[in-house]
């Protein structure tokens, strides 16, 4: 009881500090006129106000995830890419990187200590407990007027439903600027084309053809080591979307909801999910899935699929080309490795349905209401859509003298395989592409790949195989699910426990699934259903 009281007091204290900081931000912020004369905007620079030679460029602080880039962790003050960005844009950014896993803790701490940067990068929604007091208290800037005046390119980049989404707006006010996603559905099944060729098989299209391919892989010494040690399909214990291969065939996904019989219901407890689990048990029993999947982690998977005879695994399409990490044959132990991206078996409706359609954005930026001249921040973000040749050159090729050289006629010599480009292409095309997202997935970037046509087709195929649930794409985090993480689908959840029991043959599917549904509902699932149903009724009008 004493521990509970201490924890409760700690939570109350943190909430009080966050609210106090929010009010402090609101009361101390300088009033700004809605009729200030804007600076002239051009494509060449984000900040084009008239300066004397001695004047300082506009600067602001930005806290964002390092996206697991060691480059960001070790960023130097005279970094070649940030220096070039500042030169091109006329804006100095104080880059403050944090670990992605620490995002919400970092946000809560900086709010509570009244140490917010000018801009903070959120994950995918403003509807998080850490931010509630800050928005209501006026610590986070409403952006409608600023975007209308200075961010027209940003506004045009996203559909109206994205701007109206509660992930971005509250009570008609926009509080966050989205960063574009590479695709609303980027994932596909990576299949070893060289294995298909050795087996004299076409790329599978039907369920029977997939099963025939798996059977052939299991029983053929494709790597020539004298053993039948090939693995048809690799899955991991986390049960994330990198495990979802055949869910779409059955029309259900562990994280999706549908409107049925007058209410919102999760696919997770849909009777069709029982068919999915039974199907994976069959794959496991037949030896089509790695037998250590319940101890094998996603962190182990990367090196494993490159070094072992793995016939298929799920990954994002834009890494499948010869410039992509998992499409580069030089990264595989076996010679001649070649990747084809497929989108699962054709459904009974005659279509492909491989994965759910996602939000059109990955990450959001919120602006501190105390930020000086916030219109300059909006202009800076809008500048990322500039068509200026030098700007496009930076995001595509990097920095002259570092990533490429220039010929006397002005043309560029850029070798994607020459140092430092293999390791740093993602730095200028993704890490510092703050608004347009990971440009390694853009057709301009993919055009440099020797397998460009194939990768661009994979981009189209994966997008075409998206299961679009409409307004449910914008479903924010549900309180009942946040408070009861066992109701999710990942490692440690009720679903994962049931999945393992069935696949490993410890319990029959009917008993295990029905008990799972009962537990899911009784441990907060019924509350979640009511919460999502009310959200749908409010937001689907």
């Amino acid at each position: 009881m004493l521990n509970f009281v201490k924890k409760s007091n700690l939570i109350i204290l943190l909430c009080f500090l966050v609210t106090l900081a929010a009010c402090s931000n609101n009361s101390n912020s300088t009033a700004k006129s809605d009729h200030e004369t804007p600076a002239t905007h051009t494509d060449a620079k984000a900040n084009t106000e008239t300066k004397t030679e001695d004047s300082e460029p506009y600067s602001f602080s930005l806290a964002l995830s390092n996206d697991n880039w060691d480059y960001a962790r070790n960023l130097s003050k005279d970094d070649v890419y940030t220096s070039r960005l500042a030169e091109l844009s006329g804006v100095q950014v104080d880059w403050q990187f944090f670990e992605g896993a620490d995002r919400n803790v970092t946000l809560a701490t900086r709010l509570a200590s009244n140490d917010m940067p000018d801009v903070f990068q959120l994950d995918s929604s403003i509807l998080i407990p850490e931010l509630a007091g800050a928005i209501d208290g006026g610590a986070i800037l409403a952006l409608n007027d600023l975007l209308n005046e200075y961010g027209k390119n940003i506004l045009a980049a996203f559909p109206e439903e994205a701007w109206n989404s509660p992930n971005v707006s509250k009570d008609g006010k926009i509080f966050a600027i989205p960063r574009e996603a590479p695709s609303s559905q980027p994932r596909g099944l990576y299949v070893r084309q060289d294995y298909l060729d050795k087996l004299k098989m076409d790329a599978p299209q039907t369920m029977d053809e997939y099963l025939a391919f798996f059977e052939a892989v299991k029983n053929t010494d494709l790597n020539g080591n004298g053993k039948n040690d090939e693995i048809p399909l690799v899955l991991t214990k986390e049960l994330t979307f990198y495990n979802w291969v055949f869910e779409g065939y059955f029309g259900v996904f562990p994280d999706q909801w549908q409107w049925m019989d007058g209410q919102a219901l999760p696919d997770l407890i849909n009777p069709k999910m029982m068919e999915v689990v039974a199907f994976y048990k069959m794959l496991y029993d037949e030896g089509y899935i790695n037998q250590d999947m319940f101890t094998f982690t996603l962190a182990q998977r990367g090196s494993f699929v490159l070094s072992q005879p793995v016939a298929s695994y799920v990954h994002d399409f834009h890494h499948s080309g010869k410039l992509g990490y998992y499409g580069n044959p030089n990264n595989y132990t076996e010679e001649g490795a070649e990747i084809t991206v497929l989108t699962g078996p054709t459904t009974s409706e005659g279509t492909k349905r491989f994965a759910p359609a996602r939000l059109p954005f990955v990450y959001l930026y919120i602006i501190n209401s105390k930020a000086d001249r916030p219109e300059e921040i909006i202009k800076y973000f809008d500048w990322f859509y500039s068509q200026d040749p030098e700007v496009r050159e930076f995001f595509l090729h990097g920095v002259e003298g570092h990533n490429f050289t220039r010929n006397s006629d002005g043309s560029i010599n850029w070798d994607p395989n020459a140092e430092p480009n293999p390791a740093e292409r993602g730095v200028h095309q993704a890490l510092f592409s703050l608004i347009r997202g990971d440009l390694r997935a853009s057709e301009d970037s993919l055009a440099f790949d020797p397998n460009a046509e194939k990768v661009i087709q994979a981009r189209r195929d994966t997008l075409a195989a998206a299961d679009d649930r409409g307004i449910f794409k914008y479903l924010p985090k549900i309180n009942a699910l946040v408070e009861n993480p066992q109701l999710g689908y990942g490692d440690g959840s009720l679903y994962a426990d049931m999945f393992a029991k069935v696949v490993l043959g410890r319990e029959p599917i009917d008993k295990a699934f029905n008990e799972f549904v009962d537990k899911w509902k009784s441990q907060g699932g019924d509350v979640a259903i009511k919460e999502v149903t009310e959200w749908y009724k409010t937001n689907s009008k």
Side-chain angles (χ1 to χ4, degrees):
M1 182 67 180
L2 183 59
N3 287 336
F4 174 77
V5 171
K6 287 181 178 178
K7 290 178 180 178
S8 298
N9 288 339
L10 181 61
I11 291 171
I12 292 170
L13 177 61
L14 181 59
C15 291
F16 171 75
L17 289 172
V18 169
T19 304
L20 184 63
C23 293
S24 173
N25 276 342
N26 189 37
S27 61
N28 292 335
S29 52
T30 303
K32 298 178 181 66
S33 169
D34 290 335
H35 305 290
E36 290 176 349
T37 303
T40 304
H41 177 72
T42 71
D43 271 340
K45 288 188 183 295
N47 180 22
T48 58
E49 292 182 328
T50 303
K51 300 185 181 75
T52 66
E53 290 184 5
D54 296 329
S55 65
E56 292 292 324
Y58 179 76
S59 64
F60 71 94
S61 55
L62 168 62
L64 70 165
S65 168
N66 60 33
D67 268 355
N68 205 31
W69 279 93
D70 284 336
Y71 192 97
R73 294 185 180 101
N74 302 312
L75 190 71
S76 62
K77 288 187 176 180
D78 58 349
D79 175 69
V80 64
Y81 298 112
T82 58
S83 297
R84 182 59 173 156
L85 259 180
E87 180 185 355
L88 288 169
S89 66
V91 174
Q92 290 283 351
V93 178
D94 174 13
W95 303 89
Q96 302 175 8
F97 288 103
F98 53 74
E99 298 296 325
D102 298 335
R103 186 189 307 274
N104 287 0
V105 173
T106 302
L107 175 62
T109 301
R110 298 196 69 165
L111 277 168
S113 60
N114 202 19
D115 182 36
M116 276 290 282
D118 295 316
V119 180
F120 191 95
Q121 183 197 71
L122 302 178
D123 187 7
S124 58
S125 179
I126 61 173
L127 291 178
I128 54 176
E130 295 84 357
L131 202 57
I135 288 179
D136 293 340
I140 307 304
L141 198 63
L143 304 173
N144 302 57
D145 291 343
L146 289 170
L147 285 168
N148 283 328
E149 188 159 2
Y150 304 107
K152 290 181 170 56
N153 289 312
I154 300 173
L155 288 173
F158 300 94
E160 184 177 357
E161 63 182 8
W163 292 111
N164 293 334
S165 160
N167 296 291
V168 173
S169 297
K170 182 177 182 180
D171 299 329
K173 295 180 179 179
I174 297 171
F175 285 100
I177 297 172
R179 178 183 189 252
E180 286 190 50
S183 169
S184 59
Q185 200 308 86
R187 278 170 283 282
L189 185 67
Y190 278 36
V191 173
R192 287 282 294 271
Q193 180 62 48
D194 52 312
Y195 283 4
L196 284 169
D197 294 341
K198 288 179 181 179
L199 293 168
K200 295 181 170 54
M201 300 179 77
D202 294 328
Q205 298 298 329
T206 68
M207 181 64 84
D208 287 343
E209 289 171 350
Y210 270 91
L211 296 177
F213 171 60
F214 288 169
E215 180 70 14
V217 168
K218 186 183 81 167
N219 294 308
T220 307
D221 178 20
L222 293 167
N223 64 350
N225 67 352
K227 305 174 185 178
N228 288 350
D229 56 354
E230 282 69 16
I231 303 171
L233 173 65
V234 162
L235 303 179
T236 69
K237 63 177 290 195
E238 291 89 351
L239 302 185
T240 69
F241 41 66
Y242 288 113
N243 268 32
W244 303 350
V245 181
F246 297 107
E247 279 79 354
Y249 180 81
F250 294 93
V252 288
F253 296 95
D255 70 343
Q256 294 296 294
W257 292 70
Q258 299 184 49
W259 186 257
M260 300 173 65
D261 301 325
Q263 62 180 335
L265 291 173
D267 285 4
L268 203 62
I269 63 172
N270 190 310
K272 289 183 179 180
M273 191 60 76
M274 186 161 56
E275 298 179 47
V276 171
V277 178
F279 185 79
Y280 278 105
K281 173 174 171 49
M282 179 275 293
L283 295 178
Y284 188 86
D285 290 345
E286 292 293 333
Y288 297 159
I289 299 173
N290 51 308
Q291 298 296 287
D292 64 348
M293 73 161 286
F294 293 104
T295 58
F296 189 70
T297 67
L298 191 59
Q300 295 172 299
R301 192 188 74 156
S303 60
F304 186 82
V305 298
L306 295 173
S307 62
Q308 302 300 318
V310 174
S312 64
Y313 57 97
V314 176
H315 206 51
D316 299 347
F317 76 88
H318 53 284
H319 297 292
S320 64
K322 295 205 172 165
L323 295 183
Y325 190 73
Y326 293 98
N328 187 340
N330 296 327
N331 291 336
Y332 286 81
T333 300
E334 288 181 64
E335 291 187 9
E338 185 179 351
I339 292 296
T340 289
V341 180
L342 304 179
T343 52
T346 303
T347 66
S348 58
E349 296 91 2
T351 61
K352 294 292 185 76
R353 186 171 51 219
F354 188 76
R358 300 293 178 184
L359 293 171
F361 50 81
V362 178
Y363 300 148
L364 301 168
Y365 300 99
I366 54 174
I367 298 180
N368 188 342
S369 61
K370 294 175 69 176
D372 180 45
R373 292 154 57 202
E375 69 276 7
E376 298 300 331
I377 297 173
I378 300 296
K379 283 193 277 185
Y380 178 72
F381 283 155
D382 199 73
W383 168 83
F384 279 78
Y385 288 99
S386 170
Q387 295 301 306
D388 180 84
E390 286 190 304
V391 176
R392 292 173 59 83
E393 177 184 276
F394 170 79
F395 287 113
L396 197 57
H397 297 107
V399 178
E400 184 176 357
H402 184 74
N403 305 94
F404 67 88
T405 59
R406 197 181 304 277
N407 298 318
S408 57
D409 63 358
S411 60
I412 289 173
N413 285 317
W414 181 74
D415 182 354
N417 294 310
E419 294 298 333
N421 294 328
E424 295 184 10
R425 186 167 69 101
V427 174
H428 59 87
Q429 289 193 359
L431 179 64
F432 291 120
S433 178
L434 298 180
I435 299 299
R436 294 179 60 204
D438 191 342
L439 298 177
R440 291 174 297 180
S442 69
E443 295 200 5
D444 283 346
S445 179
L446 294 175
F448 290 105
D449 198 294
N451 278 358
E453 186 175 337
K454 193 173 181 180
V455 183
I456 291 172
Q457 187 59 49
R459 176 192 178 99
R460 296 168 183 158
D461 290 345
T462 52
L463 186 58
D467 183 6
D468 194 336
R469 301 291 178 91
I471 191 67
F472 281 114
K473 289 196 300 291
Y474 298 95
L475 182 68
K477 290 183 178 180
I478 304 305
N479 291 331
L481 301 184
V482 172
E483 294 167 1
N484 300 283
Q486 75 275 17
L487 302 181
Y489 57 86
D491 191 25
S493 65
L494 294 172
Y495 174 80
D497 182 61
M498 177 273 297
F499 187 93
K501 286 177 180 177
V502 173
V503 172
L504 293 172
R506 295 172 183 169
E507 287 189 10
I509 180 68
D510 290 346
K511 176 178 181 294
F513 189 81
N514 290 332
E515 288 181 354
F516 154 68
V517 172
D518 290 341
K519 287 181 181 178
W520 190 91
K521 289 182 175 180
S522 66
Q523 294 186 24
D526 280 337
V527 176
I529 288 173
K530 291 179 181 178
E531 190 177 342
V532 177
T533 297
E534 288 305 310
W535 176 89
Y536 180 87
K537 288 179 178 178
T538 300
N539 291 279
S540 63
K541 296 175 182 178

